[in-house]
Amino acid sequence: MTTTVRVPEERSARVPAEQRGPGRDRDSVRLLVSCGTEVSHHAFVELPRRLRAGDLLIVNTSPTLAAAADGWIEHARVVVHFSTRGDDGRWAVELRDPDGRGTTRARAGGPAGTEVRLAGDVRLVLEEPLTPYGSRLWWGRVSEPDVLGLLRRHGRPIRYSYTQRDQPLSVYQTVFALPSADGGGSAEMPSAARPFTARLVAELVSRGVQFAPITLHTGVASAEAHEPPYPERYEVPEASARLINAARAGEGRILAVGTTAVRAVESAVDAGGVVRARKGWTDLVVTPERGVRVVDGLLTGLHEPEASHLLMLEAIAGRAAIERSYGEALSGLYLWHEFGDVHLILPEGPHTENCSSNCR
């Protein structure tokens, strides 16, 4: 989104909602609701009253990994962000420099042959850039075949400079996270689902809202580099494909929880508009030109104005709607990033309630 909007530094959520005061839980965040260019302001616990029986929420079950590990290049300390495990056993990694405040800053990648010493005398050797048009992420080979075990023993969650302190890995797991069969997971939390609690999920189910689980393991997305997403591993199970197609055949709205859920399900739709059970890699970038074929709406966090995710939001709601809602979020002092507030984009058009009733 081409915009002159700037998100002030103080609008970054520095700690999780449940740590901001007594009696708070994960769902103690704000909910911006937009339907077309109509916008209203709510508490996230009001979400069940913004949805209706027959709506279907697509949720990402990927668990978050302790994907940051300390390393050394000769005598210089670096931090390695493990992004994605390739089919050949290599890992896509990003090297970053410690900033002296417990977080990291960007570092040039490479060159090929760079060796990083990790804990337990494990070696990581960089081999080639992940893509020909960028050098931030590199494919690297690790001398220890059990990298996931290495991360469990010596890793910690990826943390960026706008956060106040390190947090335990449990803080970065959503209520929908499930262990993967191969032990894999996401380098960074699928954060749109973070405000959900078991209590809120139970209330949604009691109101007739359904859930369709998918899996997409997210790679790293450094705050300094607003790049398109790299290829990521995903799976849309047969049962979820059936649920989505059934809801589309009726009058239910298909609402994705997070941009990862959009990316997965839009990668699994065939030419006839039917969602199929699929798994593999997706390099799909959803843009206004490409559009969306499955989802009607989206629940998502607030993204930086330059982030590629905003192209997806524009594909779903239109540019005017996104510009209006982000203006409201800024003037309303909403909080950004993974511990921040959330934005519910509801559809206009046939088979939906009018926007005024949705946004009340």
Side-chain angles (χ1 to χ4, degrees):
M1 181 168 70
T2 303
T3 178
T4 58
V5 169
R6 185 183 69 84
V7 180
E9 186 178 346
E10 62 270 19
R11 300 268 51 86
S12 296
R14 300 191 180 283
V15 295
E18 64 272 23
Q19 297 177 16
R20 293 180 204 149
R24 292 177 175 264
D25 204 341
R26 286 177 173 228
D27 55 15
S28 301
V29 297
R30 299 171 68 192
L31 176 68
L32 183 77
V33 179
S34 63
C35 180
T37 55
E38 295 186 30
V39 179
S40 60
H41 306 273
H42 306 271
F44 185 75
V45 292
E46 297 176 53
L47 177 67
R49 296 195 289 279
R50 308 270 70 80
L51 304 181
R52 65 190 188 204
D55 285 345
L56 180 70
L57 295 180
I58 304 173
V59 297
N60 189 354
T61 63
S62 178
T64 307
L65 302 175
D70 291 325
W72 291 263
I73 298 177
E74 296 180 346
H75 299 294
R77 184 180 162 223
V78 296
V79 176
V80 182
H81 287 177
F82 284 83
S83 178
T84 306
R85 180 173 56 185
D87 292 333
D88 59 1
R90 296 187 300 175
W91 278 80
V93 298
E94 178 189 23
L95 301 189
R96 294 179 65 87
D97 288 324
D99 63 4
R101 301 188 300 271
T103 53
T104 61
R105 57 177 175 264
R107 173 192 175 97
T114 296
E115 181 178 274
V116 183
R117 303 192 321 275
L118 302 170
D121 202 32
V122 174
R123 297 293 195 271
L124 162 69
V125 179
L126 302 186
E127 293 189 348
E128 60 181 335
L130 186 64
T131 66
Y133 53 82
S135 61
R136 184 172 64 90
L137 269 72
W138 282 64
W139 285 115
R141 199 169 295 277
V142 186
S143 62
E144 165 59 65
D146 184 15
V147 174
L148 293 170
L150 176 75
L151 294 177
R152 285 193 295 272
R153 293 189 302 273
H154 302 290
R156 60 186 179 277
I158 289 175
R159 174 190 160 205
Y160 292 115
S161 59
Y162 50 77
T163 57
Q164 189 175 92
R165 55 180 175 268
D166 285 343
Q167 300 283 349
L169 184 59
S170 59
V171 166
Y172 291 89
Q173 304 295 1
T174 75
V175 71
F176 303 111
L178 295 172
S180 297
D182 63 356
S186 289
E188 298 184 8
M189 171 178 56
S191 56
R194 190 183 189 279
F196 284 86
T197 61
R199 178 182 63 248
L200 192 75
V201 171
E203 183 178 353
L204 286 164
V205 171
S206 73
R207 288 174 174 263
V209 176
Q210 296 181 293
F211 292 83
I214 58 87
T215 301
L216 186 140
H217 296 321
T218 69
V220 300
S222 296
E224 303 89 348
H226 302 296
E227 303 166 348
Y230 292 97
E232 293 167 323
R233 195 186 301 273
Y234 81 104
E235 179 176 6
V236 176
E238 176 67 35
S240 293
R242 290 177 180 272
L243 280 170
I244 295 165
N245 291 326
R248 294 183 74 206
E251 294 190 358
R253 298 173 297 185
I254 310 300
L255 306 173
V257 177
T259 57
T260 60
V262 177
R263 201 167 182 229
V265 74
E266 292 287 335
S267 297
V269 63
D270 66 17
V274 177
V275 177
R276 303 292 184 184
R278 283 185 183 162
K279 62 180 179 179
W281 292 87
T282 179
D283 59 1
L284 177 66
V285 179
V286 177
T287 65
E289 293 72 28
R290 189 264 185 194
V292 289
R293 301 171 187 169
V294 180
V295 301
D296 300 307
L298 173 65
L299 180 74
T300 183
L302 294 165
H303 304 284
E304 294 287 350
E306 303 87 356
S308 61
H309 295 300
L310 286 181
L311 294 174
M312 180 186 293
L313 273 59
E314 290 182 20
I316 295 170
R319 181 171 179 177
I322 298 307
E323 289 185 340
R324 171 68 189 276
S325 58
Y326 268 63
E328 288 279 330
L330 283 166
S331 63
L333 303 182
Y334 279 67
L335 294 178
W336 258 250
H337 300 305
E338 67 265 33
F339 298 142
D341 299 314
V342 286
H343 180 197
L344 175 63
I345 301 171
L346 292 174
E348 300 179 277
H351 309 302
T352 68
E353 299 172 3
N354 63 61
C355 284
S356 295
S357 64
N358 272 327
C359 284
R360 265 203 308 268

